[in-house]
Amino acid sequence: MKQAFNRRKLLKAMAAGSVLSQLGCFSALASESKPLYLDGLCFLPDDLSDLSASKIDAYLCDISDIEAIKQPDGTTNYKRTYQACMKSITAALTRVNENPDKLLLGQSSADISRAHKTGKTAVFFQIQGADCVEESIHSSLNQVDEFYDKGLRALQLTHHYGNKFSGGALDNAVVKGQSQGLNKPLTKAGQQLITKLNDKSILIDVSHSSPQSALDTAKISEAPIVQSHGAVRAIVNHARCSPDNVIKAIADTGGLFGVFMMSFWLTNDKLPTTEHYIAHLKHVANVGGIESVAIANDYPLRGQKNLLKLDNNNAEGVKQYLDWWHSLRAKNVLGYDIEPEHVVIPELNHIHRMERIDLALAKAGFSANDRDKVMGANWQRVLKDVLG
């Protein structure tokens, strides 16, 4: 078991001038002319030419598949079952192996360097929900080993709603302004799963977890954890956005927080802009330090497909989300009382969004060194510490 390389150790190492030897080869990439771009969550594109067009060197690649599960209250949860995810990860691995000129299976941080130098894209397989681990808590969780052998390197504990491992972000009903105690903690099965993931050197992702489950995970994990994609509750008071204590706890493990592109969780203003996105990055940096800030997508490489077809017409595009939004409003889930007016930041719903974010960071006063961290070096550091 590797010892956790937490943020406090990182800062101490920096003060001693020894951080480069501890972080390894990623620093060498920063000196190259081509910037290093890593993304916290995306998908295998239909058109593989999107890989080079995006200029992203590596990303966490959600390869999971879902089954729609109707909840007792009438809402729908999308569970990543064992059968669905084993089928989807097998198909993804086949596609990567059949396209070695464009894709590289991410298994360790060294694959990021290889991708950066060769013009390929390293994809680190991720599943958005541990429902795919269906075994009894009394088992040795051998299904985790099966997924690892297929290339899985990051596992999200849950998706929106709680499961047998973790509380969910949307299990957060509020009545008369008061939470109804549904900020559920990590379960006993969840604790067992954290130990297993640490032992297998699989990155733990607390995106979509309840705040308490995220805090519990940060406390017991022996390796850095991440929220691969999310937003800041101090800016948008919504159940799907994370409070500052969660951001800080993740940072203190040596992990990071990736800010995603879903604009209805980035601002309640009528017109979403890149400045709204940068505000979330700045807030994470203020709470957790610049080493904890990262970029995420949660849309395809080119952007949200329906909005692209609509030429980024948010007024029309947001309609596809309203039924789901209103179903959660009926449950009094935090934040759903405010009607969404947009889905994307138009200038970032684009294949060149990483370059545009990089330029926006420079305009906002981020130093070249800090931009390198946000755009890719922080992700590479965390993947090196967890995966090797």
Side-chain angles (χ1 to χ4, degrees):
M1 165 64 65
K2 296 187 293 295
Q3 294 298 312
F5 188 83
N6 66 30
R7 183 170 163 270
R8 288 184 289 270
K9 291 180 181 178
L10 173 67
L11 295 177
K12 183 177 180 181
M14 290 175 69
S18 62
V19 70
L20 294 182
S21 63
Q22 295 201 44
L23 298 186
C25 65
F26 91 86
S27 58
L29 297 178
S31 65
E32 297 180 8
S33 58
K34 180 181 179 295
L36 178 68
Y37 289 160
L38 272 73
D39 185 276
L41 190 72
C42 204
F43 312 91
L44 284 175
D46 296 330
D47 183 348
L48 292 183
S49 67
D50 289 355
L51 296 164
S52 59
S54 73
K55 300 187 178 178
I56 295 174
D57 297 284
Y59 60 91
L60 293 196
C61 181
D62 177 13
I63 51 74
S64 54
D65 202 359
I66 59 174
E67 292 185 25
I69 308 294
K70 204 74 172 179
Q71 304 284 93
D73 60 13
T75 58
T76 301
N77 192 12
Y78 299 94
K79 289 195 173 185
R80 279 76 177 162
T81 61
Y82 171 80
Q83 287 288 81
C85 289
M86 187 53 66
K87 182 178 179 180
S88 64
I89 197 171
T90 301
L93 181 59
T94 297
R95 193 163 184 226
V96 170
N97 289 338
E98 289 178 347
N99 292 278
D101 56 325
K102 296 180 178 68
L103 286 164
L104 195 161
L105 181 65
Q107 300 181 80
S108 74
S109 62
D111 294 317
I112 299 170
S113 302
R114 283 194 280 272
H116 186 80
K117 291 174 181 177
T118 62
K120 300 178 184 180
T121 304
V123 287
F124 292 83
F125 288 172
Q126 187 256 27
I127 292 176
Q128 280 204 72
D131 298 292
C132 61
V133 184
E134 296 177 348
E135 297 168 306
S136 163
I137 64 171
H138 302 295
S139 74
S140 57
L141 299 178
N142 290 331
Q143 288 176 341
V144 173
D145 301 312
E146 293 179 48
F147 282 112
Y148 182 89
D149 291 343
K150 293 282 189 178
L152 185 72
R153 291 299 180 270
L155 182 63
Q156 192 171 296
L157 299 183
T158 192
H159 187 271
H160 280 326
Y161 303 97
N163 58 19
K164 68 180 180 180
F165 301 111
S166 170
L170 301 190
D171 294 327
N172 189 22
V174 174
V175 177
K176 295 181 180 179
Q178 298 296 316
S179 171
Q180 298 305 292
L182 296 178
N183 182 12
K184 297 177 182 177
L186 196 69
T187 68
K188 182 179 179 180
Q191 295 171 24
Q192 182 184 8
L193 180 62
I194 298 305
T195 299
K196 179 71 174 183
L197 297 175
N198 283 166
D199 288 345
K200 291 296 294 185
S201 297
I202 293 176
L203 181 66
I204 298 166
D205 187 350
V206 295
S207 302
H208 293 264
S209 293
S210 68
Q212 189 59 54
S213 285
L215 292 171
D216 293 342
T217 302
K219 185 175 181 179
I220 70 172
S221 177
E222 296 185 27
I225 68 170
V226 301
Q227 180 155 335
S228 64
H229 59 293
V232 173
R233 191 175 294 188
I235 297 175
V236 176
N237 190 28
H238 195 287
R240 183 60 182 87
C241 301
S242 295
D244 286 356
N245 62 339
V246 169
I247 297 170
K248 182 65 164 59
I250 291 169
D252 282 346
T253 71
L256 56 76
F257 189 99
V259 177
F260 60 10
M261 300 291 136
M262 292 187 166
S263 64
F264 41 64
W265 288 322
L266 298 174
T267 181
N268 288 324
D269 291 351
K270 292 182 180 296
L271 297 175
T273 67
T274 301
E275 286 70 30
H276 290 119
Y277 186 78
I278 298 299
H280 284 255
L281 298 178
K282 285 182 175 179
H283 188 90
V284 174
N286 288 336
V287 172
I290 193 65
E291 295 85 10
S292 69
V293 190
I295 307 299
N297 190 351
D298 208 13
Y299 289 140
L301 285 171
R302 284 193 170 273
Q304 210 273 10
K305 290 182 178 181
N306 189 45
L307 269 292
L308 290 173
K309 291 178 183 177
L310 295 169
D311 196 26
N312 287 323
N313 181 341
N314 270 311
E316 189 64 29
V318 75
K319 293 177 182 178
Q320 74 180 95
Y321 292 89
L322 293 182
D323 286 347
W324 172 72
W325 196 276
H326 294 160
S327 73
L328 288 160
R329 176 183 297 171
K331 290 177 62 182
N332 293 311
V333 178
L334 179 66
Y336 285 92
D337 56 316
I338 298 176
E339 190 80 355
E341 299 190 57
H342 44 76
V343 180
V344 299
I345 297 171
E347 55 265 40
L348 298 184
N349 197 45
H350 194 279
I351 192 70
H352 295 149
R353 66 183 176 83
M354 294 296 276
E355 287 183 319
R356 294 179 179 189
I357 293 169
D358 201 357
L359 289 172
L361 287 170
K363 183 179 178 181
F366 284 71
S367 69
N369 186 51
D370 285 351
R371 282 161 49 208
D372 285 343
K373 292 178 181 179
V374 174
M375 297 306 301
N378 285 340
W379 265 119
Q380 189 172 24
R381 171 181 56 80
V382 171
L383 291 172
K384 177 177 175 56
D385 193 49
V386 177
L387 308 184

